[in-house]
Amino acid sequence: MTTIVPVQRLRFLRELERKVLWLSAWTIHHANHLRPNRDGLKVGGHQASCASLATVMTALYFSVLRPEDRVAVKPHASPVFHAIQYLFGHQTRDKLERFRALGGAQSYPSRTKDADDVDFSTGSVGLGVAMTLFSSLVQDYVRLKALGDGNRPTGRMVALVGDAELDEGNIFEALLEGWKHDVRNLWWVIDYNRQSLDGVVNDRLFGRIGEMFELVGWRIVTLKYGKLLEAAFAQPDGEQLRQWIDACPNSLYSALVFMGGAGWREALTRDLNQYPGVRRILDQHDDAALHRLMTNLAGNDMQAVLDAFEDVDDDRPTCFIAYTIKGQGLPFAGHKDNHSGLMTLDQMAGFKKGMRIEDGQEWDKFAGLSASAQELQAFLDAAPFNAVGRRRTEAPVVEIPAALPRPSDRKSSTQEGFGKILNAIAAEDGELARRIVTTSPDVTVSTNLGPWVNRRGLWAHTEAEDVFRELKVVSAQLWRKTPRGQHLELGIAENNLFIQLAAMGLSHQLFGARLLPIGTLYDPFIARGLDALNYACYQDARFMIVATPSGTTLAPEGGAHQSIHTPLIGIGQPGLLSYEPAYVDELAVLMRHGLAYMQQADGGSVYLRLSTRSLAQPARTLSPQQEVDIVAGGYWYAPPEPGAEIAIVAMGAVTPEAIAAHESVVRDFAGAGLLVLTSPDRLHADWLGAQRKRGRTVGRLEPADSAVERLLAPLSRDARLVTVMDGHPLALSWLGSVRGQRAVPLGIESFGQSGDIPDLYRAYRIDTAAIIDAVARAIA
């Protein structure tokens, strides 16, 4: 049933719609034309893309949304979002004046860099859309387990989607995953303005888009014609006008929008003059009124938008296809080049006059509007979405035990150790176990998550027994689906994995419940989901990636499955702390540290690069200092004598080769050391931080105060470092810069191939003989 919208509310919303359009356009204009431009670069800001969503976003934020709802804003509508937050009082004039400048409102909404109430960072096209879907799953996960405070209503996850974003494949990968997991409380509002960066969207596209959504169980709500057009269609021969618009190609429609009333009149007279009713409609409208009529699409008609939103009152996922005009209300509306277009000074002067804005009133919240400032402020204060002020939630930190269980196997791989540590946590069934949630893209068993899932179960909205178990068919996997389960099994799409981890890793701020997400995948396929991983880290989501197996050590699987440059990703990716332990006791220390680090205010996410190579485990009990060193990034496996001239530096699965080489080298070079690294990422960041600190200190020499400087300090200034790892050698070769010592790096620089470990290590020069030879070359 269509909701009857009170006249007063509709009047206020239309007034605020004008103000939102003005503020978004003025913010961009000010940044490009009125602020000093020191580097000559265009600032940009997408005035046309903002205009097409002004109506929809005004209706949502000022009337439809509730505090528990979460929104991913179309990246190019960022100024509209900032304008709305400014009217709410959550954004400042100073930051609007510094839009796209250092410290100002961000080009695209950012959770970490914007001062206003951003739910999801957007900017990498399509990823914010998928984020709402996976956040909806996390909301249900938290709700069904009663992990929050129990008083929070279920919110809608809303994405405002540019039509060109639907070219991104990750959106459709997410759609399939949502269908498999029965996603709910999800709205995607498509801004169908039919224009993208380089031109006009293909006419045939949207005939298929709706079918795709319906195929996976979504409701489709199409907002095509506004109230003025609907009234015209009800007149004699109005159906002919409707059919003409329906058949009008996107490119022609956009061109006529730019041409205005005279263009519409000429086209309609040429094509529909034989219909008396259409002639009468044309006679009833002057050029300005005819232009208003023919551009009265529902997505830019406040009443039509409200009717559509308020008619949906259940939790079925819903796609609103909102027909809009790109640049609606601006002088270049409809022009195919308007995506990055900016109003000229003269155009802005005319727009400003039409908005009834006086000089000096450009930033006033209510200047140029018909309703009084008091009335509008009261309306804003009463908006449901703004009822609780800032909506970011908090959750207590989950206490991590002083030590995690450590398997006692004499021989093990780090991948096996990971599975056993997690299984032991599951068996203890403490608060830590209850807060861990795992996910994997169809590699759960092969990444050793199977024991955890057997104990904790698969998560689903409803109960579903394991058919193999019911039929008494023997299987190692006892995978019953239940709302109590703690593993979300995903299809084989790494983009989905990282966006799911992002949603889980923000649960404490989105839904008031702390989760400790752990995701597993094959290490080489981090590259498949790298855009989504970067997106997750950019939002400061907190999770643990366990990437295994890694490197050429995977051996028979061949080059397509052997990772090379992933250690460089670990070093270069902001918001992600990477480790590569060689032994299981190191792994237990690092997992414990990672679970705590994920919850620290200045922490982040954690990446563990593990191996399937089974190594003899050292018979040792780590001291507190050794554990500190492992977390800091490395330790001396065989300490050097003071002033030693040579040291071998190894990381990960090749450590046994380094040990064997060291045993040979010390026969000729007594006092040579063997340094085992667990994190070049941590060491490198700590070293750069120490350098910056010293750079700020004037007049005195600071001591070596980074971990890597302390590690290398016992060596001679002229010492040689032979570094070796199963990955790109650049990840360790920087060590020579710390104290000016010569580094001879060994590693993998080309695609791998099938073989066994001895053959591959020999072929790629990371075996014991290659290390010994590198030592000889370094000394020579």
Side-chain angles (χ1 to χ4, degrees):
M1 184 176 67
T2 300
T3 302
I4 304 299
V5 180
V7 173
Q8 186 85 331
R9 180 177 67 146
L10 184 61
R11 182 169 72 92
F12 290 154
L13 287 173
R14 284 175 171 162
E15 289 280 277
L16 291 170
E17 175 190 8
R18 284 169 49 84
K19 179 55 62 174
V20 166
L21 177 61
W22 163 257
L23 283 173
S24 61
W26 176 254
T27 297
I28 297 166
H29 181 82
H30 180 275
N32 285 275
H33 294 294
L34 303 180
R35 202 168 63 204
N37 188 330
R38 296 178 297 176
D39 54 22
L41 296 178
K42 175 184 174 181
V43 178
H46 306 99
Q47 287 174 327
S49 291
C50 289
S52 64
L53 265 184
T55 309
V56 166
M57 291 180 66
T58 298
L60 282 171
Y61 280 96
F62 296 141
S63 184
V64 177
L65 294 176
R66 303 163 301 183
E68 59 270 19
D69 297 332
R70 297 288 182 256
V71 187
V73 175
K74 184 182 78 168
H76 293 152
S78 175
V80 177
F81 172 78
H82 293 310
I84 288 170
Q85 294 296 316
Y86 179 62
L87 293 174
F88 273 145
H90 302 318
Q91 181 60 279
T92 66
R93 171 176 169 174
D94 172 66
K95 289 190 178 294
L96 290 183
E97 289 181 337
R98 289 187 289 144
F99 173 63
R100 291 195 170 203
L102 185 63
Q106 294 296 296
S107 310
Y108 309 115
S110 170
R111 287 180 53 83
T112 58
K113 294 182 175 63
D114 273 317
D116 40 13
D117 205 9
V118 178
D119 293 319
F120 304 113
S121 298
T122 53
S124 189
V125 174
L127 296 182
V129 183
M131 181 71 173
T132 59
L133 184 149
F134 290 104
S135 295
S136 181
L137 295 179
V138 173
Q139 177 178 235
D140 284 347
Y141 181 93
V142 167
R143 176 179 57 82
L144 291 172
K145 289 179 163 24
L147 293 176
D149 61 12
N151 298 317
R152 178 183 174 79
T154 300
R156 294 165 294 200
M157 303 297 109
V158 181
L160 303 174
V161 189
D163 49 9
E165 286 190 270
L166 294 171
D167 289 339
E168 291 287 353
N170 80 278
I171 288 179
F172 302 99
E173 290 179 344
L175 274 178
L176 289 174
E177 202 63 63
W179 172 76
K180 287 188 285 186
H181 284 96
D182 191 17
V183 70
R184 305 167 187 189
N185 294 299
L186 184 62
W187 283 12
W188 286 1
V189 184
I190 298 174
D191 176 19
Y192 186 37
N193 59 42
R194 297 167 305 289
Q195 292 179 245
S196 62
L197 175 61
D198 289 329
V200 179
V201 172
N202 188 289
D203 295 277
R204 300 170 60 194
L205 176 65
F206 263 66
R208 296 289 175 264
I209 292 296
E211 294 174 6
M212 291 181 181
F213 280 92
E214 290 175 340
L215 186 64
V216 290
W218 286 53
R219 175 197 292 112
I220 305 298
V221 177
T222 301
L223 294 78
K224 189 166 186 178
Y225 296 119
K227 301 303 179 181
L228 293 178
L229 275 173
E230 291 287 3
F233 298 155
Q235 295 184 36
D237 291 327
E239 186 59 29
Q240 301 301 323
L241 180 60
R242 181 197 294 270
Q243 292 177 13
W244 185 91
I245 299 176
D246 284 343
C248 185
N250 285 342
S251 55
L252 174 59
Y253 187 86
S254 295
L256 292 173
V257 168
F258 179 72
M259 293 171 67
W264 289 113
R265 191 175 303 278
E266 179 183 349
L268 293 171
T269 300
R270 180 185 63 240
D271 295 343
L272 299 178
N273 197 51
Q274 68 271 37
Y275 298 106
V278 174
R279 292 199 304 271
R280 190 175 302 110
I281 292 172
L282 294 177
D283 292 340
Q284 291 169 351
H285 297 77
D286 61 18
D287 283 354
L290 183 60
H291 181 66
R292 283 195 299 274
L293 173 67
M294 295 303 292
T295 57
N296 178 232
L297 300 183
N300 296 134
D301 185 308
M302 184 62 70
Q303 180 74 69
V305 168
L306 290 170
D307 288 348
F309 288 152
E310 294 179 341
D311 201 37
V312 175
D313 59 2
D314 57 20
D315 65 0
R316 184 180 174 188
T318 301
C319 174
F320 298 91
I321 301 176
Y323 281 67
T324 63
I325 304 290
K326 191 160 187 171
Q328 175 76 330
L330 305 183
F332 42 56
H335 196 289
K336 71 182 182 68
D337 300 333
N338 68 11
H339 180 84
S340 54
L342 296 170
M343 277 188 274
T344 65
L345 294 176
D346 288 343
Q347 287 174 328
M348 176 52 75
F351 182 60
K352 181 177 175 181
K353 183 178 180 181
M355 286 287 182
R356 303 192 297 273
I357 304 293
E358 300 293 335
D359 290 344
Q361 295 182 338
E362 292 87 355
W363 299 106
D364 289 0
K365 288 186 177 182
F366 306 120
L369 303 182
S370 300
S372 71
Q374 293 78 9
E375 288 178 313
L376 290 170
Q377 188 60 59
F379 184 76
L380 289 171
D381 292 341
F385 189 72
N386 200 34
V388 298
R390 291 185 64 84
R391 301 151 32 263
R392 193 167 294 189
T393 58
E394 297 178 354
V397 169
V398 177
E399 184 177 352
I400 310 299
L404 297 186
R406 300 184 186 181
S408 57
D409 306 81
R410 294 183 178 180
K411 195 171 184 181
S412 177
S413 69
T414 47
Q415 178 179 296
E416 291 171 334
F418 161 72
K420 290 181 178 180
I421 292 169
L422 204 55
N423 186 40
I425 293 172
E428 292 177 356
D429 195 29
E431 185 64 13
L432 172 59
R434 286 192 286 274
R435 294 291 173 165
I436 289 175
V437 54
T438 60
T439 185
S440 187
D442 201 37
V443 291
T444 297
V445 173
S446 53
T447 55
N448 278 55
L449 269 179
W452 162 269
V453 179
N454 279 346
R455 287 188 183 275
R456 311 304 293 195
L458 290 172
W459 180 81
H461 280 97
T462 55
E463 301 271 353
E465 286 291 345
D466 182 343
V467 173
F468 276 67
R469 185 178 182 183
E470 284 188 325
L471 297 178
K472 296 182 170 55
V473 178
V474 176
S475 170
Q477 314 309 324
L478 309 175
W479 287 10
R480 179 185 178 189
K481 294 181 179 180
T482 167
R484 296 181 299 280
Q486 289 180 240
H487 176 77
L488 272 74
E489 182 67 6
L490 301 174
I492 190 163
E494 282 75 13
N495 260 290
N496 284 345
L497 169 73
F498 287 121
I499 302 177
Q500 178 69 85
L501 286 171
M504 293 171 170
L506 289 175
S507 178
H508 57 294
Q509 293 185 346
L510 294 174
F511 310 120
R514 179 81 62 177
L515 298 180
L516 299 175
I518 299 176
T520 66
L521 79 164
Y522 292 173
D523 191 62
F525 301 139
I526 284 180
R528 280 187 180 174
L530 192 54
D531 188 23
L533 171 60
N534 181 68
Y535 171 73
C537 292
Y538 180 71
Q539 302 199 76
D540 197 27
R542 305 300 182 85
F543 49 87
M544 181 179 290
I545 307 166
V546 178
T548 178
S550 63
T552 59
T553 303
L554 186 53
E557 287 284 344
H561 281 63
Q562 294 169 357
S563 56
I564 299 166
H565 66 282
T566 49
L568 300 177
I569 293 173
I571 293 175
Q573 177 61 56
L576 185 69
L577 177 58
S578 67
Y579 286 101
E580 185 169 349
Y583 299 112
V584 174
D585 57 357
E586 299 169 5
L587 173 63
V589 171
L590 295 175
M591 285 182 66
R592 193 262 164 215
H593 170 70
L595 292 168
Y597 179 76
M598 288 156 55
Q599 303 180 75
Q600 295 171 6
D602 59 349
S605 292
V606 178
Y607 162 30
L608 301 177
R609 188 177 191 250
L610 305 185
S611 174
T612 49
R613 188 184 185 191
S614 187
L615 304 182
Q617 299 296 302
R620 62 184 179 184
T621 300
L622 296 173
S623 68
Q625 184 57 51
Q626 285 176 309
E627 293 190 359
V628 169
D629 292 341
I630 288 168
V631 169
Y635 62 94
W636 284 105
Y637 187 93
E641 291 184 2
E645 297 292 331
I646 192 74
I648 298 171
V649 184
M651 184 171 75
V654 299
T655 299
E657 280 66 31
I659 292 172
H662 178 262
E663 291 172 350
S664 174
V665 165
V666 292
R667 299 189 191 109
D668 297 317
F669 302 99
L674 172 58
L675 180 61
V676 173
L677 299 190
T678 55
S679 178
D681 177 26
R682 181 75 179 262
L683 291 174
H684 187 260
D686 186 37
W687 174 55
L688 290 184
Q691 287 184 305
R692 285 190 288 268
K693 180 181 177 182
R694 282 196 289 272
R696 293 192 297 267
T697 304
V698 180
R700 72 174 189 273
L701 184 65
E702 289 287 323
D705 55 1
S706 72
V708 69
E709 290 171 305
R710 292 191 293 271
L711 283 171
L712 297 179
L715 300 172
S716 163
R717 278 283 185 180
D718 298 324
R720 276 33 173 186
L721 308 176
V722 174
T723 66
V724 59
M725 62 178 296
D726 186 2
H728 200 285
L730 182 59
L732 300 185
S733 62
W734 63 271
L735 290 168
S737 299
V738 175
R739 302 182 73 236
Q741 295 156 331
R742 180 182 172 190
V744 181
L746 303 178
I748 311 296
E749 301 171 71
S750 59
F751 289 113
Q753 58 186 302
S754 297
D756 62 12
I757 289 176
D759 278 348
L760 293 179
Y761 279 15
R762 182 177 65 255
Y764 291 98
R765 303 289 294 158
I766 57 173
D767 63 349
T768 298
I771 299 171
I772 295 171
D773 180 61
V775 170
R777 286 188 286 111
I779 295 296

